[in-house]
Amino acid sequence: RLVAPSWFGMDRYDVSTVVPAGRSDLRTRLLLQAAIDTFSLKMHREQRPTEVYVLSAAGTSKLKASSAKRSGGFKAHPGEFTGVATSLERLSSVISHELNDAEVIDETGLVGNYDFDLSWKKDDVSSLTVALRDQLGIRLKKQTRDREFLIVDEASQPHTW
């Protein structure tokens, strides 16, 4: 989560770095340093209360453990999800998209991959909530949680040629 000047989200810039072979763990740190240098950024981190959605177990899970060796993918259509060998992390991501990119946190404690079909009345959060509970045995609840934000205190817009 980022809080920055308005031009920060309107203009597009390419910032690239060279990551040494075998050091993909450095990618985020190097990109952040390149952005700091390019935009003369001064920033800090802070916790802010934020509305999120939390997935939790609603009694006994109705998910079927997948027998597939690897993920078969995920199909999402308005009002319908189908998962084959799909993790709850992936399901959380797709639910997030359905909820206008609201953060969805998986606290089900369920690990592994599952096969499932889920259907609900599209564009209806309460219908999705009921479908998750009744069809998969998962509760979806809106909560307020402290989340970390990166706050840009100062930034210089670079010159373009």
Side-chain angles (χ1 to χ4, degrees):
R1 287 160 287 285
L2 178 71
V3 178
S6 60
W7 62 263
F8 216 75
M10 290 190 274
D11 296 338
R12 300 282 185 212
Y13 299 92
D14 291 329
V15 177
S16 61
T17 61
V18 176
V19 179
R23 293 301 312 267
S24 61
D25 59 307
L26 294 176
R27 183 176 318 277
T28 301
R29 192 171 345 149
L30 290 173
L31 281 171
L32 181 59
Q33 188 59 53
I36 288 169
D37 295 343
T38 302
F39 299 104
S40 302
L41 293 176
K42 303 251 188 296
M43 56 193 161
H44 70 279
R45 297 176 189 275
E46 71 181 49
Q47 297 285 320
R48 292 185 175 184
T50 305
E51 283 192 349
V52 299
Y53 287 87
V54 178
L55 289 176
S56 60
T60 304
S61 172
K62 297 178 182 178
L63 288 165
K64 297 175 285 186
S66 182
S67 59
K69 298 292 183 210
R70 36 182 224 171
S71 178
F74 198 94
K75 294 180 185 173
H77 302 284
E80 184 179 338
F81 296 157
T82 299
V84 177
T86 301
S87 68
L88 270 287
E89 179 182 358
R90 177 72 178 124
L91 176 61
S92 298
S93 174
V94 175
I95 292 171
S96 171
H97 181 73
E98 188 66 27
L99 298 171
N100 298 316
D101 296 322
E103 183 177 4
V104 176
I105 301 169
D106 174 19
E107 292 185 352
T108 61
L110 299 170
V111 294
N113 293 326
Y114 300 90
D115 298 333
F116 58 86
D117 291 303
L118 181 69
S119 59
W120 73 98
K121 184 179 175 186
K122 71 177 186 170
D123 300 324
D124 183 345
V125 175
S126 62
S127 175
L128 174 58
T129 300
V130 169
L132 284 163
R133 185 193 65 220
D134 293 350
Q135 297 170 39
L136 303 182
I138 297 173
R139 181 177 298 114
L140 177 68
K141 187 174 182 181
K142 187 185 278 192
Q143 295 182 1
T144 300
R145 299 270 180 101
D146 282 341
R147 308 306 288 167
E148 185 174 87
F149 282 77
L150 186 59
I151 311 299
V152 176
D153 301 308
E154 291 180 32
S156 297
Q157 196 168 8
H159 296 288
T160 56
W161 307 107

